[in-house]
Amino acid sequence: VQTTLTSMGTDAVTVSIVERLSGNAKITESTTPPTPLEPNLVEFKVEVLPKDTVTLKYVLEVKKEAG
């Protein structure tokens, strides 16, 4: 998964991105570590400097349910 953030302002900002994961999914790697908020809900806090672009990337592993 990839999300690109661009700041057009003159101040640095921290952007909060909240993602709900399916019950059988987990993040195996990411450019910004996620913070668990509750089961299957994580938050990424990404700092974006003035007039800059930052890309959040993470790998989501989804295990196939048996049956």
Side-chain angles (χ1 to χ4, degrees), residues 7-56:
S7 171
M8 304 300 268
T10 57
D11 296 322
V13 295
T14 300
V15 179
S16 173
I17 299 172
V18 177
E19 294 283 349
R20 184 165 302 279
L21 308 175
S22 68
N24 56 344
K26 70 176 184 175
I27 296 170
T28 58
E29 57 185 271
S30 62
T31 54
T32 299
T35 301
L37 299 178
E38 59 185 58
N40 303 323
L41 191 67
V42 297
E43 177 183 35
F44 296 94
K45 290 188 178 179
V46 182
E47 184 175 358
V48 185
L49 298 176
K51 310 286 186 198
D52 198 10
T53 298
V54 175
T55 301
L56 168 65

